[in-house]
Amino acid sequence: MGVKEIQHSESGSVDQESPDATTTPTKAPRGTRPIRAGVWVVVAACLMASVVHVLLVFLHVAPANTVSKRYQAQINAWVFPFFEQNWRLFAPDPESVNRQILARTARTTADGSVQVSPWYDLTAVDVSAVEHHVFPSHTAQNMLRRAWSGYTDSHGGDDRARTERAVMMRKYLTNIAADRLAARKGGAFDFVQLRVVTRPVAAPGSAVGDRPSKPSENRLLPWWKVTRHAK
């Protein structure tokens, strides 16, 4: 109950409520409850996704067990190629060769003829992005290189995909080349082909002619069909 003070004046007594009188509680504005509910749903979804991600990565790096063997396809589909885990961080294997990855496109014209573009040096673009930036991006440094490593690890030397991971790595490498070529050329194309030139890295301090240089490898990959690209 509110407390009332009685004040006396010449005109008589006047009842006046004190400042601590009971007031009606302020109601929350309309629309705040759905927003709060949406925030909680987003938080719960993020926590759930984090738990699932940690669990799948753990099963990937852990020794083979019943669960990882049973759900190997699902685990690999989630981990590769973006969340791959290995021991190279603690035991790095420095590159002993320089690889130059080039790509070109082909398209079929209205009269049925095939037009092939000149080779485009994808590696040179990455090297330029690294050398001319103070803080180069992780993408410029590793995306193309890791895509090629994943391709060779899953295909070997015959360019034949025998596993689901090999097919995935081939599509991943193809998409990288197709997206970069589409951004540069600005024209439509239907096929992509890659060529990888491998050259040995000379030992530091070694003079030319001390040892015979290893022959460079020039690997030409097959033409791969892609979704028609146009920029």
Side-chain angles (χ1 to χ4, degrees):
M1 296 178 61
V3 179
K4 296 185 177 181
E5 296 178 354
I6 302 177
Q7 298 181 350
H8 296 276
S9 62
E10 295 180 355
S11 58
S13 62
V14 178
D15 292 346
Q16 183 178 12
E17 292 186 358
S18 63
D20 61 343
T22 303
T23 58
T24 304
T26 304
K27 294 183 179 180
R30 290 185 177 181
T32 57
R33 288 186 178 181
I35 294 176
R36 291 179 180 177
V39 171
W40 281 112
V41 170
V42 172
V43 171
C46 292
L47 290 175
M48 182 64 66
S50 300
V51 172
V52 173
H53 172 73
V54 172
L55 177 62
L56 292 176
V57 172
F58 172 77
L59 292 174
H60 171 68
V61 300
N65 54 73
T66 305
V67 177
S68 62
K69 291 179 180 179
R70 181 175 181 180
Y71 298 100
Q72 184 176 5
Q74 291 81 356
I75 294 172
N76 291 339
W78 177 263
V79 171
F80 294 106
F82 299 106
F83 306 115
E84 181 181 1
Q85 306 292 313
N86 53 55
W87 291 100
R88 293 181 181 178
L89 175 64
F90 306 99
D93 184 14
E95 293 284 352
S96 59
V97 296
N98 288 324
R99 290 189 178 88
Q100 181 185 16
I101 302 177
L102 305 98
R104 63 179 179 179
T105 63
R107 71 184 186 93
T108 305
T109 61
D111 58 1
S113 61
V114 178
Q115 293 183 350
V116 180
S117 70
W119 289 105
Y120 179 61
D121 195 338
L122 303 177
T123 303
V125 176
D126 286 351
V127 172
S128 177
V130 172
E131 291 181 348
H132 296 86
H133 287 78
V134 179
F135 301 104
S137 68
H138 177 79
T139 301
Q141 298 180 70
N142 297 314
M143 175 181 282
L144 184 62
R145 180 177 60 85
R146 296 291 293 127
W148 175 250
S149 297
Y151 177 84
T152 55
D153 291 343
S154 59
H155 283 75
D158 57 0
D159 298 315
R160 296 182 62 183
R162 296 181 175 84
T163 63
E164 292 183 1
R165 182 173 184 269
V167 174
M168 180 184 62
M169 294 308 303
R170 184 184 65 188
K171 291 181 179 179
Y172 180 54
L173 181 61
T174 305
N175 290 338
I176 292 175
D179 290 343
R180 295 191 181 186
L181 290 168
R184 170 187 174 269
K185 289 174 60 61
F189 55 89
D190 305 293
F191 299 91
V192 168
Q193 186 179 37
L194 281 84
R195 179 164 64 95
V196 182
V197 180
T198 304
R199 298 182 177 87
V201 176
S206 62
V208 178
D210 288 351
R211 63 181 65 182
S213 59
K214 297 180 181 179
S216 298
E217 179 186 359
N218 193 342
R219 182 170 175 178
L220 186 64
L221 276 64
W223 284 102
W224 291 327
K225 175 71 175 177
V226 296
T227 304
R228 175 168 282 258
H229 279 63
K231 192 79 175 180

